[in-house]
Amino acid sequence: MAGIGFQLKELYNQSSFFSQLRAYGYSTVTAVGPMFLTILLITASREWLIYINAQIFEINLFMAAVQYAFVFSQILTGGFLFVISRYVADQTFMEKEENVLSSMFGAIGIVVFLGFIAAVLFYLSSPLPFSYKFITYLFFTELNVIWVLSMYVSALKDYRKIVKSYVIGIAVAALLIWLFTGPLGYATATAVFIGLDIGFMLIVFMLMWDIFHFFQLNNKQYFYFLTYFEKYPFLFFIGLFYYIGLYGHNLAVWLSERQVIIADTFLMAPYYDTPVFYAYLSVLPALILFMVTLETTFYATYKKYYGRILNGFPLQDIESAKQEMYRTLRLEILFLAQVQLLVTFVFLFLGVRFLPFIGMTQDQIDIFMIVVLGSWFLSLIITFFLILLYFDERKVAFQLTSLYAVLTFFLTVIMVKLFGLYGAGMFIGAVVSMFYGSRLLIRQLNDIDYSTFCFQPIVYKEVTTKTERFLRKIGSLD
């Protein structure tokens, strides 16, 4: 996302207040993309159904299906996204853009196939009507495709097109949901999902249209990107455990005594899921700041440091660039932590003041406050492992994300079963992982000279992977 980050930085550097305000709007949509807008639309749809006095069963059915689609689409595609991001970046850097478009078709084909298998197995014993299964499966598939496309649109370096696609799609979905459930009187979960399906299908088409016009060559090597799973296996597991970590504590509570079964199909825990849903919104500013600061200011010093190494600068100049990079990184992390801490206090205040008005009990507000505090540490964890990936420390980044995923799940199980404390598992897991992550980052930065000069091969030799040999054997590669 560095290309988009630099364009956004140009807007931030402009003195005009409206230019900077516009930059914040663009960076918000670009950084959190469909996640932010989907959350906004889902929340508005739920409140709208309540406002028009829809049946409680329909509201619960809608929230259950949309939550499953949202959570499991990210878990399913999470590992693919990190591998695809590396593949697209490498192919673009090597000016082999004919490989990019073909990989998009291959990646979409694989995640859609896996999503279909998962949906069939999940709905196999469900008593829900086939029509509802189909429209919710379609929404699940669209989310899978959008998460994949997000890796490719980031290479377009045109945030205006990204913003335009998401805003138009969400607006169409909102309009159709209002039309179906309001004037036409179909206040059902099915009607809401039809509106969502049409709106998100429009997003898919618009994003694909932009990608087709940017990457116009297709060499039909659809599955060559799979070789990167063998070259960089830790990337897949980093993405997988990252999303498991985000939702693992929810899954743990679903298995507790707070579980609720919706329509004999969906296992949920609204008592816990609802406050966590609102608490996680506090992480979004950190994602935006990461793009605008670390992906612009830090990246400039990062590029300067490695540029001097590659161009054979004197050791004194390289050391000077390294110290400048360290100083910038330290200041940017501190700035991000301070802003995120301010956001945390704002969310705590707003939660105490306004959450009771939407029906939350005091126990749920307590969960919200604990998870908001834990989310401050989570924002630093995300920052740390992304910085580690900047320095290509994939194994170390995997250690951090896997630790957070394992800790939050099992600590939530322990805290709920033994002490009846909800949210404490996520908070403790985030605190421990944050301190562990800071230690890992400091250690890797202290050893950066050794990693840079001693871990790299003296003579690079391209190795044909087993995956590539297999693909050629079955005729998938020329």
Side-chain angles (χ1 to χ4, degrees), residues 224 231 460-464 468:
Y224 179 68
K231 290 181 179 179
Y460 176 76
K461 182 180 180 181
E462 185 69 33
V463 178
T464 302
E468 184 175 350

Side-chain angles (χ1 to χ4, degrees), residues 346-410:
V346 171
F347 265 74
L348 292 176
F349 171 77
L350 294 177
V352 173
R353 294 286 296 177
F354 296 107
L355 290 182
F357 293 103
I358 62 174
M360 282 199 192
T361 64
Q362 184 58 51
D363 288 343
Q364 288 180 301
I365 295 175
D366 292 340
I367 294 173
F368 170 84
M369 296 175 69
I370 294 173
V371 176
V372 166
L373 292 172
S375 296
W376 183 81
F377 295 96
L378 174 59
S379 68
L380 293 177
I381 294 172
I382 295 173
T383 301
F384 291 159
F385 93 78
L386 289 177
I387 293 173
L388 287 170
L389 289 180
Y390 254 108
F391 295 103
D392 207 24
E393 297 292 346
R394 299 182 298 274
K395 185 176 180 180
V396 180
F398 166 72
Q399 293 174 6
L400 178 56
T401 55
S402 60
L403 174 68
Y404 176 70
V406 172
L407 280 181
T408 53
F409 180 83
F410 286 104

Side-chain angles (χ1 to χ4, degrees), residues 428-446:
I428 297 173
V431 172
V432 174
S433 299
M434 191 279 292
F435 283 107
Y436 181 70
S438 64
R439 180 181 177 184
L440 289 176
L441 180 59
I442 293 172
R443 187 184 70 186
Q444 295 308 128
L445 291 176
N446 288 335

